[in-house]
Amino acid sequence: MTQTYLADHTLLLALPAFVPAVVVVGVIVYIARRDRRNPDTGAEPGDEQETRGSTGEDDSP
């Protein structure tokens, strides 16, 4: 008498739990890589030094 093994679908049943996690990680990695390639060019290097001690007033009447 031979015994036939049926397919084990454990991995198939685990996919709904892992796919959303992989998608979230993929989105985070995509955003991080995009931000590293395109640094913020709107701010000039001297801007943060100027605003540190500045009160926002220009001494005009």
Side-chain angles (χ1 to χ4, degrees):
M1 178 170 227
T2 61
Q3 191 174 23
T4 305
Y5 290 103
L6 297 175
D8 185 20
H9 293 94
T10 307
L11 183 62
L12 185 62
L13 293 173
L15 281 177
F18 287 109
V19 170
V22 171
V23 169
V24 168
V25 169
V27 168
I28 291 171
V29 169
Y30 170 75
I31 291 172
R33 290 190 71 192
R34 183 187 63 185
D35 287 347
R36 286 186 65 144
R37 277 195 307 238
N38 301 325
D40 186 19
T41 56
E44 295 180 9
D47 284 348
E48 61 272 355
Q49 295 171 353
E50 181 181 341
T51 57
R52 244 182 240 152
S54 177
T55 60
E57 298 176 5
D58 59 356
D59 296 328
S60 61

